[in-house]
């Protein structure tokens, strides 16, 4: 719906080897929009409102100039599909808890080891640090849609999300 500075057009395809390696010179704004989806799909999230539950549409943050469809593909480059249920359910926001696992320095928001913050779905917790929430959002997004972290003792939890402000706070 407008001029894309990267000249992306309908039909262009981009292959991400994993969520940590975007294609060379890929638009940073688009990546910012797509990243939570890539992260969630990597860890098994499903989007029951999509025709293929292993996909999600996101838009360019610069005025919706481009819409992206992110899908899982197999080793042969074929789309992995899981059809949505006959009657897709509406949003079912999960209640999640963010815990301050470790505090090694001064936190402007005053977080201390053991503090707990409850999150419902994708709602931003009132008074929560914006930088910490920005870092936590992909994890919360993934968990809200059923992702599992198989490398963790509790696969429904991630034990090392770290505050971007000097790493003084580690969340769980």
């Amino acid at each position: 719906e407008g001029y894309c500075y990267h000249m992306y057009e309908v039909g262009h395809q981009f292959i991400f080897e994993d969520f940590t390696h975007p294609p060379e010179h890929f638009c940073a704004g688009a990546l910012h929009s797509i990243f939570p989806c890539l992260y969630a799909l990597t860890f098994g999230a499903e989007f029951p409102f999509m025709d293929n539950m292993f996909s999600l549409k996101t838009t360019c943050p610069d005025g919706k100039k481009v819409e992206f469809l992110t899908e899982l593909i197999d080793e042969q480059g074929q789309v992995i599909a899981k059809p949505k249920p006959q009657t897709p359910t509406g949003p079912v926001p999960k209640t999640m808890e963010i815990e301050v696992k470790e505090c090694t320095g001064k936190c402007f928001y005053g977080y201390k080891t053991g503090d707990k913050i409850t999150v419902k779905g994708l709602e931003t917790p009132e008074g929560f640090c914006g930088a910490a929430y920005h870092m936590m959002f992909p994890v919360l997004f993934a968990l809200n849609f059923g992702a599992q972290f198989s490398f963790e003792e509790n696969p429904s939890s991630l034990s090392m999300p770290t505050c971007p402000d000097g790493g003084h706070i580690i969340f769980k």
Side-chain angles (χ1 to χ4, degrees):
E1 292 196 22
Y3 176 75
C4 171
Y5 303 108
H6 286 270
M7 313 277 233
Y8 297 158
E9 297 177 4
V10 172
H12 282 170
Q13 294 183 352
F14 307 94
I15 305 294
F16 289 72
E17 295 298 322
D18 63 45
F19 69 88
T20 65
H21 295 92
E24 188 173 2
H25 304 297
F26 190 77
C27 174
L31 179 61
H32 184 78
S33 176
I34 294 168
F35 181 80
C37 177
L38 290 170
Y39 189 81
L41 286 169
T42 297
F43 294 106
E46 297 179 357
F47 302 99
F49 47 85
M50 295 293 295
D51 288 336
N52 173 5
M53 294 191 343
F54 292 147
S55 69
L56 189 64
K57 289 182 180 178
T58 55
T59 54
C60 169
D62 187 14
K64 191 186 169 191
K65 293 176 183 171
V66 180
E67 181 177 72
F68 296 92
L69 173 62
T70 304
E71 302 174 297
L72 289 177
I73 58 174
D74 63 20
E75 296 291 324
Q76 291 73 42
Q78 300 300 310
V79 172
I80 301 170
K82 181 175 182 181
K84 72 177 172 184
Q86 286 290 342
T87 309
T89 59
V92 183
K94 293 183 178 173
T95 300
M96 298 171 277
E97 184 176 83
I98 300 170
E99 181 179 346
V100 177
K101 181 178 169 183
E102 184 180 314
C103 180
T104 60
K106 182 173 176 10
C107 170
F108 178 79
Y109 278 76
Y111 296 135
K112 299 176 292 311
T113 301
D115 285 353
K116 295 180 180 179
I117 302 102
T118 300
V119 179
K120 179 79 170 181
L122 302 178
E123 294 178 12
T124 308
E126 187 174 334
F128 195 68
C129 171
Y133 188 73
H134 177 79
M135 180 273 315
M136 290 288 301
F137 182 78
V139 175
L140 297 170
F141 183 81
L143 289 169
N144 193 59
F145 287 101
Q148 296 282 292
F149 301 103
S150 61
F151 51 88
E152 291 282 1
E153 186 176 317
N154 174 358
S156 296
S157 178
L158 192 60
S159 63
M160 296 303 284
T162 306
C163 177
D165 187 14
H168 297 296
I169 304 291
I170 297 177
F171 296 96
K172 172 182 174 188

